[in-house]
Amino acid sequence: MPPRSAPDRLLAVLDAFDHDHPALTLTDISRRAGLPLTTAHRLVGALTAWGALERDPSGVYHVGLRLWEVSALAPRGLALRQAALPFLEDLYEATHENVQLAVRDGAEVVYIEWISGRSAVGVRIRVGARWPLHATGVGLALLAHTDPEFQAAYCTGPLPAFTAHTVTDPALLRRMLAEVRRTGCAVSVRQITDDALSVAAPVRGAGGAVAAAVSVVVPADGIQVPALIPAVRLAARGISRRLGWRPA
Amino acid sequence: MPPRSAPDRLLAVLDAFDHDHPALTLTDISRRAGLPLTTAHRLVGALTAWGALERDPSGVYHVGLRLWEVSALAPRGLALRQAALPFLEDLYEATHENVQLAVRDGAEVVYIEWISGRSAVGVRIRVGARWPLHATGVGLALLAHTDPEFQAAYCTGPLPAFTAHTVTDPALLRRMLAEVRRTGCAVSVRQITDDALSVAAPVRGAGGAVAAAVSVVVPADGIQVPALIPAVRLAARGISRRLGWRPA
């Protein structure tokens, strides 16, 4: 392993925590971060004193409240979610289906918010989850509005499949992206799971650039797609206006 | 300034960001963190590479998406919020007033979630905000269920006032806490602002300990308090059940 700087070692401790490992012992952290136990002990102590980690009575560490407070300042995290929440709630009330808000991070989509109905279709998505852009409605809505060089590189790169329906043909993906730009709406059918489709629309920030995407996920054998498109576009425009966007 | 360890210097960079300073230049960070510019530059570079900070085209730094993703794992942050959100939404639908979820951190209450109606009373509260325990409904609900030593120490400590109605008398505060335990509900009247009161109830975790509190904030000249108490208690019990609590 190459030598790492002091900041990188501290951040490696935070990297040890993920959705499948939200609670770790000191030994777990040492192993997952690739750090000697004494180093891990010292760094975990500093992070716990600051509040980035919390230790429960059994000696297990969790991510702490102080980190959550700092991260609430992220313009693409909680701040975006706060602006969008009323519109997501209205979209949920209107559809009673899974409603999602996502942003792009490189070649992936990251889910910022997700409202799920008890009767809504099961989805493989959670807050903080990541998927490749081409496989989801929000991802297609975001990818379609990246710069042409990024799109060209993405379309010719590896396009992993999750079902038999995931688009893996670059030419087809390029046509789908052009359609998204033409209609202002992206439809992704059975790409992540065989039983669901999503309808998504881009959210624009004050400067007009696409900052996020909003979507509804419904059973793939439903016939509601045409009816959902106006509702999803309306929610996306509402969030965009709240973020300071004005139509040309 | 005392010499600081490498982890403390890195965490001081994160501390430079707060609600009033969500966007900082490198010079701002250096000054607010008390670090030489070259040190700040190196640490900001490491944090930006990892994704804890993001640099916009004008050179201004914000808290980044990666930190938000890690913090989503905090059991007392986003995870608690996710469990509570359906109940908070129902409480909002039932009342159309400000609805809040908060946890205790030492002698302070920290707001985890907050749903605000357009017509609801103006409040001085935001997600991530902190207030002393004695001055808010959620704070009283949380303080009343801390261990007796903590309560005794809190009641005799300084009790800062925000309005002429803030409780600053230790004996009165002790009587209010006993009343909270007796009724299962806390009412805080005009303690933060002159025009609002809050009705709060404790949320219990799987082990039965109080883990959070939920409240509704309404105009202080309203007469809805008796009507709000059952709704707030119901929401608190619903969240408690979702967290694994079972009535004795």
Side-chain angles (χ1 to χ4, degrees), chain A residues 15 50 66 69 71 130, chain B residues 15 50 66 69 71 130:
Chain A
D15 272 328
W50 187 78
R66 176 79 187 108
E69 288 183 76
S71 75
R130 288 170 174 265
Chain B
D15 272 328
W50 187 79
R66 175 80 186 108
E69 288 184 77
S71 75
R130 289 170 174 265

Side-chain angles (χ1 to χ4, degrees), chain B residues 33-49:
Chain B
L35 294 168
L37 198 59
T38 50
T39 306
H41 182 262
R42 183 172 54 80
L43 297 176
V44 164
L47 287 165
T48 305

Side-chain angles (χ1 to χ4, degrees), chain A residues 45-155:
Chain A
L47 287 164
T48 305
W50 187 78
L53 299 180
E54 291 177 354
R55 185 178 183 276
D56 73 17
S58 68
V60 170
Y61 291 90
H62 304 261
V63 175
L65 197 61
R66 176 79 187 108
L67 204 67
W68 187 84
E69 288 183 76
V70 173
S71 75
L73 303 170
R76 300 209 300 160
L78 204 60
L80 174 61
R81 192 197 73 79
Q82 294 278 358
L85 195 58
F87 300 96
L88 301 177
E89 285 168 353
D90 288 352
L91 185 56
Y92 175 77
E93 279 306 310
T95 64
H96 281 91
E97 301 287 355
N98 295 289
V99 169
Q100 302 162 341
L101 178 74
V103 298
R104 181 176 71 87
D105 191 32
E108 294 177 315
V109 62
V110 178
Y111 290 86
I112 294 294
E113 184 53 274
W114 160 42
I115 299 177
S116 171
R118 266 172 282 255
S119 63
V121 66
V123 287
R124 291 175 58 190
I125 283 165
R126 58 172 193 274
V127 168
R130 288 170 174 265
W131 289 97
L133 293 170
H134 67 283
T136 69
V138 282
L140 291 169
L142 291 163
L143 179 57
H145 295 91
T146 57
D147 64 65
E149 294 73 27
F150 183 90
Q151 279 180 61
Y154 189 99
C155 290

